[in-house]
Amino acid sequence: MRRAFNALRHNPVWVAVALLYCVAGLVSPAMLKTEQVLNILQVTAFLGLVASGQTIALLVGGIDLSVAGVVTMTNILATSLMMGQNERIAPAVAICIALGVAVGIINGILVAFLRVAPIIATLAMNAILFGAALVYTGGAPFGSSAPAFNQLGQGSVLGLPASALCWLVVSLILAYAMRRTTLGRWIYAVGANEIAARFMGVPTRLVLVLAYSLSALFAVLGGLLITAYIGNPSLGIGNQFLLASVVAVVVGGTALTGGIGSVVGTIAGALFVTLLNSFTNIAQASTGAQYVIQGVLIAFSVIIYRVIGESAETR
Amino acid sequence: MINKRIDRRTLLGWGAGAAAGAVMLPRLSLADVISNAKIEASSEMSKGVNKSGKLRIGFSNGFSGNTWRTQNLASMQTEAGANADRYELITVDGQGDITKQVNDIEDLIAQNVDALLVIPNSGTAVVPALRKAMKAGIVTIPFNLPVEGDNWTAFIGTDPKKKGATTGKFLNDALGGKGKIVALGGLPGNSYTAECWAGAQTEFAPGIEVLAFKDAHWQEDKAKVVMADLIAAYPEIDGVWCDGGQDAAGGLKALMAANRPLVPVTGDDYNGLLKLYDKEKGNNPKFKIGCVSEPTWEGVVALRTAVKLLSGEDQPKRQIISPVLMDGSNYEQFIKRDLPDGVFVDTLLTDEELKKLFS
């Protein structure tokens, strides 16, 4: 019993994923099919990558609402630069990454040096990016991604979706780096207490800039994968990540106040959110009900983590 | 109420209403007029007013930025450019904001425009502003999306319920009145999809079983994700009803990813859907498309109606466009193989103009 409680305490989100999957399987046996599991993994990759980056923003005590704009920008740029040609993949990807990181650096400078509240700085950036995408396309997006590139979003390796492998490998590297590198420890330190971190000699401003750059970089990667999944440009493609990326991170156990949480938790959080969407699709819940469930979930998981946190402190 | 049928080719070709048979207006090239949509006019007429000199026509666009709005605006600008000696077109963009659009309309009234064209963000919020414009003697023409009441001079648009009935009938007939279908709609809660879907359902025979209706946001990626879930849930899907071509294309891509044969689908004049049909019909004997457009030239009809009213001609209070059904038999007329998927092909713009727009 105690061991079960401990497992729950340390990994509540994984337990939640398992529980949700069982419930979903009982209600809709279609959820248990191998193809459906692979389908869910394939689709989770997009949100998973964006949310992994969002985790870093939350860990430093901020938030990155520009991920939606970064995904849209990536999708519009990648398709218009590739124009369906394989030999253009490399430059297109390089330009997307470079621009994405530039966006992250600007976000970081706004937050770290100009002391703009993260929610405002990144929301403004989101508006700028969406506006820029509109200006760039004139409202008429064009181009398509290259066939070889589409394999990343649509193909599979050893029976597993390529997109899921990309997501898991990259996110696990990030998770490892967060635990084992100095930068990782600095990120936690800045999020836990920025002033204390500065006194300990942590270059807090640099850490903030790097954190927002990482967040933007992962949003670019997520944007590239969803572009490979669908092959076409769409000006609305990023919007779905604005709220969902924050939900996945919070459900995954990362605190909105910073300093607490993990990328591994976010992997589970992204799985949970996607699984829930898929389940509610199959179980015929309306879109309205899906939104309500998502909203309730954010509030509920914050409460659960607080209760668990307090029970851990009193032991 | 409907007493006149105007062939769109006639209307767009001769500019002047065939019904009124009046003055000939400068016109666009006919080269790209390919849809023979019918425009049904109400018997109720609005009085024209005679204004001389160069006219000023304001257009309050609720928002811009999707492909339809872009093509519509470009068509209007082309039309205005060709008639620059007769009128000037002043465009303002509501940026999707209900309040901003009301302010935009007030500004246009203050600028003393002769006519005011509107695609409303909200069919109720613009009512007082349009009433004020009417009182100021301005010809007001909402189009594309409806406005509550009748405090406006003329309305131009389609009837979503009828369009839904057309695609519903197509799907029903394609399946011989028997089969299991899923439906993919647009943005959650939008009234266009609701009316289309209501119209479609009136045409389904009892043998048509609707497995699910899901919102797919008129986005290929959303539609593909939702459809993948539906494919897992239902081993047999014989047809897909959609009110938009992006939904249809995304749904079809999910079927292809699951190695399922392609089935009859409905949609609109989204080039990507026509291209997909063109490419895959040979491999999929059951694959059929039935599409009804929301013409991107609605704004041009609105402009011409405004000019006619301001030239003293009476005009129908309501003009309802019934676009032609695009299917396997006539899609070759519409498809634009060298242009991006995003193009809506029921357009007055030439391929050259479209190429410039989509680059």
Side-chain angles (χ1 to χ4, degrees):
Chain A
M1 191 62 207
R2 163 143 300 185
R3 277 176 73 178
F5 181 75
N6 269 340
L8 184 68
R9 189 158 65 84
H10 289 299
N11 306 294
V13 61
W14 288 102
V15 176
V17 169
L19 270 177
L20 176 63
Y21 186 68
C22 292
V23 172
L26 282 175
V27 176
S28 315
M31 294 292 290
L32 302 174
K33 288 193 230 165
T34 318
E35 307 95 85
Q36 181 57 3
V37 174
L38 294 178
N39 171 39
I40 289 169
L41 286 173
Q42 179 184 33
V43 174
T44 311
F46 325 131
L47 175 63
L49 277 170
V50 178
S52 285
Q54 183 73 267
T55 312
I56 311 299
L58 259 70
L59 279 177
V60 292
I63 194 165
D64 188 352
L65 298 182
S66 70
V67 291
V70 172
V71 169
T72 301
M73 177 194 83
T74 303
N75 169 257
I76 296 293
L77 268 184
T79 48
S80 67
L81 294 173
M82 280 187 211
M83 295 301 279
Q85 293 167 21
N86 286 342
E87 62 273 17
R88 292 195 182 186
I89 295 173
V93 169
I95 290 171
C96 287
I97 289 179
L99 271 175
V101 172
V103 166
I105 290 173
I106 296 171
N107 280 338
I109 289 172
L110 286 172
V111 171
F113 291 90
L114 303 173
R115 291 289 155 198
V116 182
I119 196 167
I120 301 299
T122 57
L123 198 59
M125 179 57 82
N126 192 51
I128 291 168
L129 290 174
F130 183 68
L134 270 187
V135 171
Y136 177 69
T137 59
F142 56 95
S144 60
S145 55
F149 181 73
N150 290 346
Q151 287 303 312
L152 279 179
Q154 301 174 21
S156 57
V157 179
L158 302 172
L160 291 172
S163 64
L165 290 174
C166 291
W167 158 50
L168 289 171
V169 167
V170 177
S171 291
L172 287 173
I173 291 172
L174 180 67
Y176 180 84
M178 290 299 293
R179 291 284 171 207
R180 300 287 171 191
T181 64
T182 312
L183 175 63
R185 284 191 290 272
W186 282 353
I187 284 173
Y188 278 99
V190 168
N193 189 333
E194 194 179 336
I195 295 164
R198 195 178 308 139
F199 281 128
M200 287 183 333
V202 176
T204 54
R205 287 174 169 179
L206 178 69
V207 169
L208 283 171
V209 173
L210 288 172
Y212 283 96
S213 306
L214 272 173
S215 174
L217 173 65
F218 273 75
V220 169
L221 297 180
L224 287 172
L225 270 197
I226 197 169
T227 302
Y229 176 73
I230 201 64
N232 266 337
S234 163
L235 284 164
I237 201 162
N239 299 344
Q240 57 194 302
F241 297 105
L242 186 72
L243 179 63
S245 67
V246 178
V247 175
V249 177
V250 172
V251 169
T254 296
L256 281 161
T257 45
I260 302 165
S262 74
V263 174
V264 175
T266 299
I267 292 177
L271 262 176
F272 187 90
V273 170
T274 312
L275 191 58
L276 186 70
N277 274 338
S278 176
F279 171 48
T280 45
N281 274 340
I282 288 184
Q284 300 241 31
S286 69
T287 308
Q290 287 177 329
Y291 285 141
V292 170
I293 292 170
Q294 266 203 358
V296 168
L297 215 67
I298 307 178
F300 192 67
S301 45
V302 171
I303 295 168
I304 292 280
Y305 285 115
R306 175 165 306 153
V307 170
I308 291 170
E310 281 168 2
S311 80
E313 275 167 24
T314 53
R315 285 158 71 87
Chain B
M1 100 179 197
I2 287 159
N3 70 339
K4 295 187 189 94
R5 291 192 145 243
I6 307 167
D7 184 271
R8 175 183 159 244
R9 192 186 292 267
T10 318
L11 182 104
L12 290 175
W14 279 271
V23 256
M24 197 158 147
L25 290 172
R27 59 182 180 83
L28 292 170
S29 143
L30 264 182
D32 212 48
V33 179
I34 44 178
S35 155
N36 281 309
K38 295 272 188 283
I39 298 183
E40 296 172 1
S42 66
S43 52
E44 188 186 343
M45 301 294 277
S46 286
K47 274 224 132 344
V49 283
N50 225 327
K51 292 222 175 175
S52 54
K54 191 164 173 177
L55 303 171
R56 298 168 75 235
I57 300 181
F59 171 38
S60 164
N61 198 3
F63 68 92
S64 60
N66 71 27
T67 312
W68 192 92
R69 296 283 172 128
T70 303
Q71 282 183 237
N72 175 64
L73 187 58
S75 307
M76 291 173 75
Q77 284 163 343
T78 307
E79 172 79 3
N83 296 284
D85 51 334
R86 182 73 175 105
Y87 62 88
E88 174 196 2
L89 177 65
I90 306 155
T91 302
V92 284
D93 187 341
Q95 297 174 355
D97 185 330
I98 292 171
T99 324
K100 178 170 187 314
Q101 181 168 39
V102 173
N103 290 336
D104 286 347
I105 295 174
E106 303 268 358
D107 286 347
L108 289 171
I109 297 171
Q111 288 180 53
N112 277 322
V113 291
D114 298 297
L116 182 63
L117 274 44
V118 184
I119 305 184
N121 283 330
S122 153
T124 48
V126 297
V127 170
L130 288 189
R131 191 181 300 133
K132 189 173 162 192
M134 292 280 281
K135 273 190 190 147
I138 298 171
V139 163
T140 54
I141 306 182
F143 69 99
N144 183 234
L145 295 171
V147 169
E148 288 275 301
D150 58 0
N151 265 307
W152 32 263
T153 317
F155 171 77
I156 290 131
T158 57
D159 179 348
K161 199 160 180 187
K162 227 157 138 188
K163 283 170 64 177
T166 307
T167 51
K169 181 172 179 343
F170 165 85
L171 191 60
N172 181 71
D173 296 351
L175 298 175
K178 193 173 177 305
K180 297 177 174 175
I181 66 159
V182 295
L184 302 176
L187 289 171
N190 86 85
S191 59
Y192 176 84
T193 296
E195 281 185 49
C196 265
W197 178 229
Q201 286 168 297
T202 60
E203 295 291 332
F204 293 154
I208 299 286
E209 184 188 344
V210 179
L211 298 172
F213 175 94
K214 300 301 302 178
D215 298 307
H217 298 240
W218 293 310
Q219 262 176 242
E220 279 199 35
D221 60 301
K222 286 266 188 190
K224 188 176 174 186
V225 169
V226 168
M227 189 68 186
D229 286 334
L230 296 177
I231 289 169
Y234 305 108
E236 184 191 340
I237 297 174
D238 304 314
V240 186
W241 181 89
C242 306
D243 66 340
Q246 298 99 322
D247 289 348
L252 291 167
K253 286 179 181 178
L255 283 171
M256 284 157 69
N259 290 319
R260 294 253 200 124
L262 300 184
V263 296
V265 294
T266 67
D268 60 16
D269 57 328
Y270 178 65
N271 199 27
L273 177 58
L274 300 188
K275 280 159 88 175
L276 198 63
Y277 174 72
D278 192 50
K279 193 167 152 227
E280 298 294 337
K281 64 175 173 166
N283 311 324
N284 295 275
K286 285 190 177 166
F287 187 20
K288 288 181 183 161
I289 50 166
C291 304
V292 177
S293 70
E294 181 72 25
T296 57
W297 39 264
E298 277 175 4
V300 174
V301 179
L303 273 174
R304 289 182 182 176
T305 303
V307 173
K308 278 180 265 178
L309 280 163
L310 293 169
S311 305
E313 277 177 50
D314 294 352
Q315 285 293 300
K317 179 97 180 169
R318 290 179 185 81
Q319 298 179 58
I320 304 301
I321 304 169
S322 297
V324 68
L325 178 76
M326 299 176 192
D327 59 14
S329 69
N330 64 359
Y331 84 98
E332 291 271 4
Q333 282 173 258
F334 296 93
I335 189 171
K336 295 186 183 297
R337 292 190 174 82
D338 299 330
L339 286 168
D341 286 7
V343 173
F344 287 112
V345 297
D346 190 2
T347 175
L348 281 180
L349 298 167
T350 64
D351 284 8
E352 280 313 306
E353 285 167 336
L354 286 168
K355 240 173 227 162
K356 218 188 274 172
L357 206 56
F358 286 81
S359 66

